[in-house]
Amino acid sequence: MATKPIYVTQPYLPPLEEFTPYLEQIWKNKILTNGGPFHQQLEKELCDYLGVKYISLFTNGTIALITALQALKITGEVITTPYSFVATAHSLLWNGLKPVFVDIDPLTLNIDPKKIEAAITPQTTAILPVHCYGNPCEVDAIQNIADKFNLKVIYDAAHAFAVQCHCGSILNHGNLSILSFHATKVFNTFEGGAIVSPDAKIKQQIDQLKNFGFIDEITVVTPGINGKMSEINAALGLLQLKYVDQVISRREEIDRNYRNGLKDIKGITCVNKSKSEKSNYAYFPIMIDSDYPINRDSLYQKLQEHEVYARRYFFPLISDFPMYSGLASAKHVNLIHARIASNQVLCLPIYPNILDEEQAQVIDIIRSVH
Ligand SMILES: *Cc1c(COP(=O)(O)O)cnc(C)c1O
């Protein structure tokens, strides 16, 4: 029996006393938002840490996604994955765009580039893939398609903080990438997000868009939104950044323990990392197949009986929510692998403060079912 509830994640918080000097600074200079000193410093430090050219901080990842689509003036149809958090597709509806769902690769659980071309129509203007669980998409294959059909690529990289692929940061692919710094993510500012952009001009447009469209005190050039990150959140980010390497290496350890502990359990497969050079161990998804005595939902229940709250990420598929289920691309036959993953994947608890004993309990419960 677990000693206390174990949730799928628990936010990382740096030592409280280390936050006090940041608060004192804010109280002293009375700059609370609007691109203050901590905001500027965090943008700079994140560029250095992540190895990207430009970052625009946002109030959350969803507003960042919505703004990224605005910045690139995306119209018509956008190809995306049904196997993600619902905000991915919602950002399209908020822009009056039509999502076109394409099935995922059964191994990586990312959008299958081989199926993208068939979904392109004269209305298609962009692809919105997700680096699911922080595993890099097939960025070269996706870029080739985008080049051939003159499409923009916006990566929902909400899971992919600090992930590196063969050529450096995964965030340097596509036209723009968005990050989420929500409490549940590897790096958090309580709420927060960002757009990563490759050049100063688009960064400037994004910064105007997130500040109502102002370019100076009296000039508004575009119907912008309020997407600004506050100084408190930016200060938290600066402090979190000091701990993020530690956080990721502890996550790596937990990932390794699960892989060792689960490897000989029949019917349980750890979802493979795709070929990222540096992972962030954001999630620990397993697949439960018919060689396991009970199905995914029964295991999910069984864990709950022991106060272990694993999560069925991503279930239901986005394409099954009522605002999407009527789309032609939401049909079951179109999304076979996404549906299998959605019915078989369970994300196990992974966060820096999980105790080794707690992790061992999770593994024991899963083993005991056999
Ligand atoms: C968390 C998440 C978002 C939304 O980010 P918020 O900061 O919570 O708005 C978008 N896409 C994916 C894939 C996510 O996991």
Side-chain angles (χ1 to χ4, degrees):
M1 193 65 186
T3 48
K4 59 179 179 208
I6 304 173
Y7 297 101
V8 72
T9 187
Q10 198 182 80
Y12 178 76
L13 287 169
L16 180 58
E17 64 277 10
E18 291 183 25
F19 195 50
T20 316
Y22 293 89
L23 290 176
E24 285 169 352
Q25 190 63 33
I26 294 171
W27 258 247
K28 191 166 130 247
N29 67 22
K30 301 193 172 47
I31 302 173
L32 311 187
T33 185
N34 286 12
F38 287 140
H39 183 286
Q40 288 173 35
Q41 194 185 339
L42 183 58
E43 286 193 346
K44 188 177 171 309
E45 289 195 17
L46 280 173
C47 283
D48 294 343
Y49 180 79
L50 297 170
V52 302
K53 277 220 164 112
Y54 298 97
I55 279 206
S56 302
L57 294 173
F58 275 79
T59 183
N60 62 59
T62 304
I63 297 285
L65 258 176
I66 290 170
T67 307
L69 293 159
Q70 286 275 325
L72 296 175
K73 301 192 167 62
I74 304 300
T75 59
E77 297 178 4
V78 177
I79 290 173
T80 190
T81 170
Y83 193 73
S84 178
F85 182 60
V86 71
T88 308
H90 277 1
S91 72
L92 299 173
L93 294 196
W94 272 71
N95 277 290
L97 301 166
K98 179 174 167 188
V100 175
F101 297 111
V102 164
D103 205 1
I104 58 172
D105 177 290
L107 290 180
T108 66
L109 308 185
N110 285 325
I111 196 166
D112 186 346
K114 293 187 294 299
K115 299 199 172 133
I116 292 178
E117 271 202 50
I120 295 173
T121 76
Q123 281 71 49
T124 310
T125 59
I127 310 172
L128 175 60
V130 178
H131 301 298
C132 191
Y133 307 129
N135 292 330
C137 290
E138 289 181 53
V139 289
D140 296 333
I142 291 170
Q143 195 57 52
N144 286 341
I145 298 165
D147 291 344
K148 185 167 161 196
F149 292 91
N150 193 23
L151 308 176
K152 299 282 203 294
V153 182
I154 300 110
Y155 281 104
D156 180 339
H159 301 173
F161 188 87
V163 171
Q164 306 258 326
C165 60
H166 56 289
C167 46
S169 174
I170 193 67
L171 305 170
N172 289 328
H173 293 275
N175 297 84
L176 297 172
S177 290
I178 79 98
L179 289 165
S180 165
F181 307 147
H182 182 257
T184 54
K185 306 300 206 275
V186 167
F187 170 85
N188 85 77
T189 60
F190 287 23
E191 290 270 5
I195 301 179
V196 174
S197 48
D199 69 74
K201 189 157 167 274
I202 181 97
K203 148 96 173 143
Q204 190 186 39
Q205 286 167 355
I206 290 164
D207 288 346
Q208 291 163 7
L209 276 169
K210 79 173 190 190
N211 188 30
F212 311 98
F214 279 110
I215 54 167
D216 63 37
E217 214 180 301
I218 54 164
T219 317
V220 173
V221 292
T222 185
I225 194 153
N226 182 359
K228 295 176 267 99
M229 177 182 276
S230 85
E231 284 293 279
I232 290 254
N233 299 100
L236 271 163
L238 287 166
L239 184 53
Q240 294 279 31
L241 207 45
K242 298 186 178 168
Y243 289 93
V244 72
D245 283 334
Q246 255 168 270
V247 162
I248 292 173
S249 57
R250 173 64 184 141
R251 284 176 170 278
E252 179 175 12
E253 204 170 80
I254 299 160
D255 182 286
R256 195 167 345 112
N257 291 343
Y258 273 136
R259 282 176 202 276
N260 284 332
L262 298 168
K263 67 169 181 278
D264 56 350
I265 304 180
K266 225 171 158 269
I268 300 285
T269 315
C270 302
V271 172
N272 258 330
K273 300 249 157 275
S274 44
K275 43 199 180 298
S276 62
E277 301 274 306
K278 183 171 172 280
S279 179
N280 64 5
Y281 311 94
Y283 297 84
F284 197 85
I286 58 171
M287 290 191 100
I288 295 104
D289 64 39
S290 56
D291 287 337
Y292 194 70
I294 57 177
N295 67 18
R296 189 274 313 267
D297 288 344
S298 305
L299 177 59
Y300 166 78
Q301 287 296 339
K302 173 109 190 147
L303 286 162
Q304 283 203 353
E305 286 161 21
H306 292 82
E307 289 191 280
V308 175
Y309 297 92
R311 286 293 295 268
R312 290 170 291 184
Y313 290 142
F314 290 97
F315 172 84
L317 290 178
I318 298 177
S319 48
D320 285 343
F321 290 119
M323 60 298 290
Y324 302 103
S325 59
L327 294 167
S329 64
K331 289 206 188 87
H332 285 207
V333 289
N334 191 43
L335 305 172
I336 306 262
H337 294 299
R339 194 159 301 281
I340 293 171
S342 183
N343 289 326
Q344 293 193 344
V345 171
L346 193 61
C347 285
L348 300 182
I350 184 166
Y351 50 88
N353 292 324
I354 193 169
L355 303 174
D356 289 345
E357 306 88 89
E358 291 174 323
Q359 204 190 352
Q361 282 166 358
V362 175
I363 295 168
D364 283 348
I365 298 165
I366 297 171
R367 183 181 298 280
S368 71
V369 174
H370 261 291

